[in-house]
Amino acid sequence: MAAHSTPAKRKASSNDKHSDGSISKKAKTSTEPKRQRRDDEDGADSDDGASSKKKYRPEKVHKKPKSDGTQNGKPNGALSSREAHEKQKQLAKERKAAKPLHDEVQRTKKLWERLRRKSHVPKEERQHLVDELYSIITGRIKDFVLKHDAVRAVQTAIKYSTPAQRKQIAKELQGTYAQLAESRYAKFLVAKLLVQNDEEIRDLIIPEFYGKVRKLINHPEASWILDDIYRQAATKEQKANLLREWYGPEFSLFKSTSGAEVTADLAKILADEPSKRGPVMKYLFDMANTLIQKKMTGFTMLHDAMLQYFLNLKPESEELKEFVETIKGDESGDLLKNMAFTKSGARLVCLLLAHGNAKDRKQIIKTYKDTIQLMCGDQHAHMILLTAYDVIDDTVLTSKSIFPELLGKNEEKNIENIIFLANDLNARITVLYLFEGQSKALFPASHAYDLQLLAEIHEIRKNTSKKDAEVRRKELVAAMSPPLLAAVATSPNDLVATSFGCQFVTDVLLSATGDKKAALEAVASTAAGDPTPQHSEDADPLYPPPPHLSLTPHGGKMFKTLIAGGRFDKAAACVKRVDPPLNFADILYPVIKEHIVQWATGPSSFTVLGLVEAPDFSSKKELLKTLKSNKKALEVAANGDVTSNAAKEEGKKEKKEKRKKSAPEEEEKGKKGGNMGAKLLLEKLAA
């Protein structure tokens, strides 16, 4: 049998051509549609060759409706998509209108839309709208607060309400506050009522959470409002009642009715009933661990409960090891980070650092690596950094883990961070603590708790840290000094602009280690210029230029301390000079030499007195000669007739009342009893 081959394409023959020369279109294969072949045949038989180019278009065939009343699968008279959508909307409106209080809710929403634009509503109109809103919701407020769109109007009503109206709402909602706390939207209404600090409303709301703490603290919505109430609104007794529910079911079910003071101190509770220690500790740990596993670790109440648990654990017990591992086992580190920013949480972390071994301390500090900038300025978290300074023996670990994050990793960021550290009330402690220790200047009365916690840590470290405390401090100072001195040398004007900044500069120059020459010269340059107040008509009265550093109390005190080369030691009744000496007098004098008389008769006259008394001042004779030639100006300032040449110039240009307001405090003192620094200089000249 011959092999099958594909036939070659046949060329059009003369028989295929029409009279006009066109070629008929033949089907290439037998599978060509019949409609196409019929078109070709018609074209071939046509007398007019042009008709062969027309395409065949079959006539439309109208199908008869099926016997079931449908056509093309759709019912006869079906709606278009637009009509169907309109019908759906109408049905939705009808369903909403059928709901209870539909008209009232719609009206409250209209009122809320108007009231929320506070700056665009006149006071009289707003009062009229609030009155109308109260007329709608009064007596039916429980029906409104559980509707997500109506509860906003109720919150607005509370915002503009009178105390009597707020109490009326609070009483009407009595018995539903725990339910409201679980609502995604109504929970904010509870907060709105409590934020007004009304004691009667507070005492109505908070007791409704008693007995429900375990349930609510695990609820995704109610947990946050419960913790806010515990942290911000509850009294000491109410906090104790809420926290006691972490110790077991009996504390939830039975409340003390004896009138005795309620306490949440677990140590006292266990001391009264030692037999309950096992069940109470287990219940407390399980409840705390449940929240930790759920990653719900930001609650102040949780941190308070964890601290109570830790304080009642026995040293070296299995319970203690399990608790520490539970905290360390949080891989994300959110637990430790959240704990740092509450009082109890920060104390617990400090105690963990103090009691922990080297491995535990290293893991805890590394967890805070990207949080240290926030911690240093927080009123609680900064104590964790101080504890790390005091208990971690590996100072290389401390300096590498904390200082780059605290001070900055590049020069630009370094300066920005250090200026913040110098002026923030809490952040400055994290730097100057290594230089000043527990001085009153660094720990004012507002930070008394810090000193109590440090005393507790120092007592614990006697048994848990091996390195001598002074050796550890000096090693940390050596690691911190270079970036601090560089910042002082680079941006002295920014640092000395404030009282805290001047104290920071003074401590760094006195206590830091390394080459201080560039930093001392930079600080001396800030004293350049004429101390006489300059008045410009172009100056903005709202933002006047800063005064010369010699006219500020903190500036004069800084220069005086640096010239003395150390701080005054009360026990020794003398200045304790640093080693090596600063020799700041020789650096400063050439800068202020031209205006030395204004300094001697002005608010910073003690700076000039310090130059005269400095034992290492090489230009003392020259200074005394200059002062003697201007003895009359010193006598005038000492007698208090005119405080200084600066005050004299100011008195000529401004009225007396205005001058009193703008003059520095030292000038006011001088007007009463004369310039004390000028008096002492005259005594030096007489000697």
Side-chain angles (χ1 to χ4, degrees):
M1 183 175 178
H4 176 75
S5 60
T6 303
K9 291 184 179 180
R10 182 176 62 88
K11 294 184 179 180
S13 63
S14 59
N15 295 330
D16 296 330
K17 295 183 179 180
H18 297 295
S19 58
D20 61 350
S22 62
I23 301 175
S24 298
K25 295 182 179 179
K26 298 287 185 177
K28 292 183 180 180
T29 63
S30 61
T31 58
E32 189 72 21
K34 294 180 179 180
R35 179 173 58 83
Q36 182 68 28
R37 292 201 301 272
R38 181 179 178 182
D39 186 26
D40 294 340
E41 292 168 2
D42 291 344
D45 297 336
S46 175
D47 295 332
D48 186 3
S51 63
S52 64
K53 297 183 180 180
K54 294 181 179 179
K55 293 183 180 179
Y56 170 74
R57 292 184 177 85
E59 295 182 1
K60 292 184 179 179
V61 179
H62 297 281
K63 296 181 180 179
K64 294 181 180 180
K66 295 181 180 179
S67 59
D68 59 355
T70 62
Q71 181 175 337
N72 295 329
K74 295 183 180 179
N76 293 333
L79 299 175
S80 65
S81 61
R82 181 189 294 268
E83 292 171 339
H85 184 62
E86 291 295 332
K87 188 174 181 179
Q88 288 176 356
K89 289 175 65 177
Q90 184 62 31
L91 290 172
K93 288 182 179 179
E94 291 174 1
R95 283 195 299 269
K96 287 183 179 180
K99 291 182 179 180
L101 301 176
H102 171 265
D103 295 337
E104 290 83 352
V105 170
Q106 293 302 312
R107 181 54 186 161
T108 58
K109 288 165 69 175
K110 295 289 184 183
L111 293 172
W112 174 77
E113 283 290 345
R114 183 66 179 153
L115 282 169
R116 72 189 184 94
R117 304 180 68 201
K118 182 177 179 180
S119 60
H120 295 77
V121 182
K123 186 176 180 180
E124 295 180 0
E125 182 185 353
R126 183 170 66 243
Q127 187 59 47
H128 175 72
L129 295 172
V130 171
D131 292 341
E132 183 181 353
L133 186 56
Y134 267 97
S135 68
I136 297 173
I137 65 175
T138 301
R140 298 178 292 187
I141 198 164
K142 289 183 181 180
D143 299 322
F144 281 88
V145 294
L146 294 175
K147 297 180 183 292
H148 75 277
D149 51 352
V151 69
R152 294 177 298 182
V154 179
Q155 292 180 43
T156 303
I158 294 173
K159 179 179 180 180
Y160 295 113
S161 63
T162 62
Q165 289 172 326
R166 282 196 296 272
K167 290 177 183 178
Q168 179 186 352
I169 292 176
K171 290 177 181 177
E172 195 171 333
L173 290 172
Q174 199 168 2
T176 64
Y177 288 111
Q179 180 187 1
L180 296 179
E182 294 177 343
S183 171
R184 184 177 180 182
Y185 302 99
K187 65 180 181 181
F188 299 111
L189 176 65
V190 181
K192 207 78 171 178
L193 285 168
L194 287 170
V195 80
Q196 305 294 335
N197 294 323
D198 188 297
E199 294 183 3
E200 184 178 346
I201 294 176
R202 179 196 67 201
D203 294 338
L204 278 174
I205 296 175
I206 295 180
E208 293 197 15
F209 293 95
Y210 294 166
K212 304 181 181 73
V213 170
R214 184 181 182 111
K215 175 188 175 184
L216 296 178
I217 200 64
N218 285 281
H219 193 277
E221 302 294 343
S223 55
W224 292 104
I225 193 67
L226 175 63
D227 193 65
D228 286 343
I229 290 171
Y230 175 82
R231 185 178 70 254
Q232 296 179 338
T235 62
K236 183 179 179 181
E237 182 180 353
Q238 290 167 341
K239 282 185 176 181
N241 278 318
L242 292 171
L243 188 58
R244 282 167 64 93
E245 295 191 24
W246 290 68
Y247 303 156
E250 63 181 279
F251 295 95
S252 303
L253 299 173
F254 306 108
K255 301 295 179 186
S256 175
T257 57
S258 61
E261 183 181 0
V262 180
T263 179
D265 188 343
L266 187 55
K268 293 181 180 179
I269 294 173
L270 296 180
D272 294 338
E273 300 181 80
S275 60
K276 293 184 178 180
R277 186 185 185 282
V280 167
M281 295 294 282
K282 184 179 186 307
Y283 189 92
L284 176 53
F285 176 78
D286 290 344
M287 196 166 167
N289 190 41
T290 300
L291 292 177
I292 294 172
Q293 300 308 318
K294 287 183 176 182
K295 307 296 182 183
M296 299 170 68
T297 58
F299 303 131
T300 302
M301 191 184 298
L302 170 64
H303 303 162
D304 287 354
M306 291 176 68
L307 177 63
Q308 290 296 323
Y309 182 81
F310 180 83
L311 293 175
N312 288 276
L313 291 173
K314 297 178 181 179
E316 304 299 328
S317 65
E318 290 299 321
E319 290 176 324
L320 176 60
K321 294 177 182 178
E322 183 182 7
F323 182 69
V324 173
E325 289 302 318
T326 300
I327 295 176
K328 290 164 55 181
D330 182 27
E331 296 179 358
S332 64
D334 289 343
L335 174 59
L336 281 169
K337 291 175 182 177
N338 286 324
M339 286 168 58
F341 296 94
T342 63
K343 185 176 181 180
S344 295
R347 182 186 175 193
L348 177 55
V349 177
C350 291
L351 293 174
L352 289 173
L353 283 171
H355 284 286
N357 54 37
K359 185 178 179 181
D360 293 339
R361 292 167 177 173
K362 181 178 181 180
Q363 183 174 345
I364 291 173
I365 289 301
K366 286 196 171 184
T367 302
Y368 290 117
K369 186 175 182 180
D370 58 347
T371 321
I372 288 175
Q373 266 294 312
L374 291 174
M375 292 171 62
C376 70
D378 184 78
Q379 61 175 333
H380 304 304
H382 73 276
M383 287 302 301
I384 296 175
L385 301 181
L386 302 191
T387 303
Y389 296 160
D390 282 342
V391 302
I392 297 178
D393 291 333
D394 187 354
T395 53
V396 175
L397 169 66
T398 306
S399 59
K400 288 185 176 181
S401 301
I402 296 179
F403 293 164
E405 300 294 331
L406 184 67
L407 304 178
K409 298 180 180 179
N410 55 64
E411 185 176 350
E412 183 179 351
K413 193 70 176 176
N414 196 351
I415 295 170
E416 179 183 340
N417 287 356
I418 290 175
I419 292 174
F420 166 74
L421 293 169
N423 291 284
D424 185 82
L425 185 62
N426 296 308
R428 62 197 293 268
I429 300 176
T430 60
V431 177
L432 299 183
Y433 176 67
L434 295 172
F435 298 140
E436 288 197 37
Q438 301 181 29
S439 70
K440 291 182 179 180
L442 195 58
F443 292 92
S446 60
H447 287 65
Y449 175 76
D450 292 3
L451 297 177
Q452 295 174 12
L453 183 54
L454 285 173
E456 183 180 8
I457 298 301
H458 291 169
E459 189 65 28
I460 297 170
R461 76 175 178 184
K462 292 178 181 178
N463 301 319
T464 59
S465 297
K466 299 178 181 179
K467 186 174 288 188
D468 180 72
E470 184 61 19
V471 173
R472 184 191 298 108
R473 186 194 70 82
K474 288 181 178 180
E475 290 176 355
L476 292 175
V477 167
M480 183 182 278
S481 293
L484 295 182
L485 290 172
V488 174
T490 305
S491 301
N493 291 309
D494 294 328
L495 288 170
V496 302
T498 62
S499 176
F500 278 169
C502 286
Q503 183 184 347
F504 175 86
V505 170
T506 303
D507 287 336
V508 170
L509 292 178
L510 290 177
S511 305
T513 59
D515 187 7
K516 305 176 185 177
K517 184 178 180 181
L520 289 168
E521 291 176 349
V523 172
S525 68
T526 61
D530 188 356
T532 305
Q534 303 295 324
H535 301 277
S536 174
E537 296 180 357
D538 299 332
D540 188 346
L542 296 177
Y543 301 98
H548 191 273
L549 198 55
S550 67
L551 301 178
T552 62
H554 50 268
K557 186 176 181 180
M558 177 186 69
F559 289 130
K560 176 189 171 184
T561 305
L562 292 177
I563 290 169
R567 296 192 180 278
F568 185 78
D569 187 355
K570 291 183 179 180
C574 65
V575 174
K576 190 175 181 180
R577 294 170 62 84
V578 298
D579 185 33
L582 299 180
N583 296 324
F584 186 66
D586 287 334
I587 298 174
L588 178 65
Y589 180 66
V591 178
I592 65 172
K593 178 179 178 181
E594 184 179 352
H595 305 286
I596 196 66
V597 177
Q598 286 93 323
W599 280 73
T601 58
S604 296
S605 56
F606 278 92
T607 300
V608 181
L609 180 64
L611 291 173
V612 173
E613 294 177 343
D616 54 357
F617 182 39
S618 59
S619 302
K620 182 177 180 179
K621 292 182 180 179
E622 180 185 348
L623 174 59
L624 290 173
K625 184 178 179 181
T626 303
L627 293 176
K628 286 180 181 179
S629 62
N630 292 275
K631 189 175 180 179
K632 187 175 181 180
L634 291 173
E635 291 174 347
V636 171
N639 293 331
D641 296 333
V642 179
T643 311
S644 64
N645 292 336
K648 186 188 295 184
E649 294 295 328
E650 191 173 351
K652 292 179 181 179
K653 296 183 179 181
E654 299 182 5
K655 294 181 180 180
K656 185 177 181 180
E657 292 298 325
K658 189 174 181 180
R659 177 163 53 87
K660 286 181 180 179
K661 293 179 182 179
S662 61
E665 293 180 5
E666 284 74 7
E667 292 188 9
E668 295 297 325
K669 292 178 183 178
K671 293 172 187 177
K672 295 178 181 179
N675 189 317
M676 184 56 66
K679 286 182 180 180
L680 295 175
L681 283 171
L682 287 172
E683 292 178 6
K684 293 288 183 182
L685 293 177

